[in-house]
């Protein structure tokens, strides 16, 4: 397997050479996202939101995020989640510190820190994430073992410590962002599933085992 960030690939899994390899690979992935043609993004958004929603029927509380224009699922994801009969939480970046707060999704979203869109209603603390059956997690890439590479703020690694052990953690990525290996650090919180435009849902063998609310539903 090619080594996308240029690090040495250990046989059979993710490796623990940490922060430096992550930084280089993030830059590469962000550049690739920026260069993706608008038509590809739109097609991917339709495929990802269709697949995601089909697997979310029955979830009562879903924590998600408002994707930026270059992120997979943009710009359809917030409106698609709004069509579900579920309570949808979106992250709010605090003025200080790296603990995400949460607010119920509203039709109107306003630009918060880093220009990311946030709901306008009351804010809840980090532990509100424990009300979520499903957490849709942003990722720049995900490995087949469930290791997730984020934007590097450490926001989601901290936030996911508040998720219920049985919550389904699902990342949305473009097809070429589901990779065989990613640099991992001990604090990284694995995801239990990934949705890509071409394959739809893929369960990943992420420890600890997360229950899947779709297990009793036809796929
Ligand atoms: N749409 C969306 N919302 C999201 C995330 C995401 O990935 N996508 N996040 C996923 O975690 C959180 C925000 N994470 C972020 C991580 C790094 C930077 C960032 O641009 N950092 C700058 C400057 C750092 C600083 O000023 O301290 C940088 O790295 O250059 C922004 C947001 C919460 N909301
Ligand atoms: N649970 C944690 N407690 C304290 N520090 C943490 C925790 N998780 C991550 N960090 C720190 O946050 C920084 C960014 O971590 P990392 O590179 O894993 O972020 P990421 O997963 O890519 O970002 P994000 O979660 O915002 O998408 C690192 O310096 C890391 O040491």
């Amino acid at each position: 397997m090619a080594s996308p960030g240029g690090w040495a690939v250990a046989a059979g899994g993710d490796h623990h050479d940490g922060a430096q390899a992550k930084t280089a690979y993030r830059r590469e992935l962000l550049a690739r996202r920026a260069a993706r043609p608008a038509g590809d993004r739109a097609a991917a958004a339709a495929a990802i939101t269709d697949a995601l929603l089909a697997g979310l029927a029955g979830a009562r509380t879903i924590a998600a995020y408002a994707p930026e224009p270059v992120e997979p699922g943009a710009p359809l994801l917030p409106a698609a989640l709004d069509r579900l009969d579920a309570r949808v939480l979106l992250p709010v970046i605090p003025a200080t510190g790296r603990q995400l707060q949460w607010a119920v999704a509203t039709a109107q979203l306003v630009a918060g820190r880093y220009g990311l869109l946030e709901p306008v209603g009351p804010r809840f603390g980090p532990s509100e994430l424990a009300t979520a059956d499903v957490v849709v997690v942003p990722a720049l890439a995900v490995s087949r073992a469930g290791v997730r590479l984020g934007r590097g703020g450490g926001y989601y690694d901290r936030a996911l410590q508040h998720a219920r052990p049985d919550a389904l953690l699902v990342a949305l990525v473009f097809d070429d962002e589901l990779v065989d290996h990613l640099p991992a650090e001990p604090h990284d919180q694995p995801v239990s599933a990934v949705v890509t435009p071409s394959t739809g849902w893929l369960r990943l063998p992420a420890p600890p085992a997360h229950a899947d609310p779709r297990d009793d539903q036809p796929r």
Side-chain angles (χ1 to χ4, degrees):
M1 165 72 196
S3 167
W7 59 81
V9 174
D14 300 288
H15 35 103
H16 296 263
D17 54 359
Q20 260 193 324
K22 282 184 171 185
T23 305
Y25 196 25
R26 264 188 205 109
R27 214 172 291 135
E28 188 178 321
L29 289 160
L30 286 167
R32 219 192 285 167
R33 281 191 176 178
R36 195 172 294 271
D40 289 7
R41 283 189 200 139
I48 285 174
T49 51
D50 282 357
L52 181 69
L53 259 60
L56 292 184
R60 283 162 305 178
T61 296
I62 301 167
Y65 58 95
E68 294 199 275
V70 299
E71 290 183 312
L76 302 177
L77 185 63
L81 292 173
D82 189 48
R83 289 200 296 275
L84 287 172
D85 188 20
R87 178 172 177 258
V88 176
L89 295 171
L90 298 179
V92 173
I93 302 177
T96 59
R98 303 231 157 199
Q99 293 278 354
L100 286 180
Q101 301 179 330
W102 299 91
V104 173
T106 47
Q108 189 203 355
L109 300 174
V110 297
R113 241 183 126 190
Y114 307 117
L116 293 167
L117 294 177
E118 299 179 346
V120 292
R123 272 55 176 142
F124 301 107
S127 63
E128 190 67 15
L129 194 62
T131 65
D133 311 302
V134 179
V135 186
V136 185
V137 185
L140 294 178
V142 173
S143 81
R144 292 181 183 277
V147 173
R148 163 188 165 273
L149 182 69
R151 288 258 293 265
Y155 289 102
Y156 266 87
D157 286 322
R158 289 176 179 82
L160 290 174
Q161 295 182 328
H162 297 279
R164 286 205 314 267
D166 66 335
L168 175 65
L169 312 182
V170 55
L172 311 180
V173 293
F174 293 108
D175 291 323
D176 54 356
E177 296 168 345
L178 175 62
V179 300
D180 286 346
H181 306 276
L182 276 177
E185 292 179 276
H187 63 254
D188 285 328
Q189 300 270 340
V191 294
S192 38
V194 64
V195 174
T196 76
S198 292
T199 59
W201 280 88
L202 274 181
R203 290 305 312 266
L204 302 173
H210 292 284
D212 185 341
R214 304 171 311 128
D215 271 349
D216 52 4
Q217 296 170 20
R219 315 238 156 136

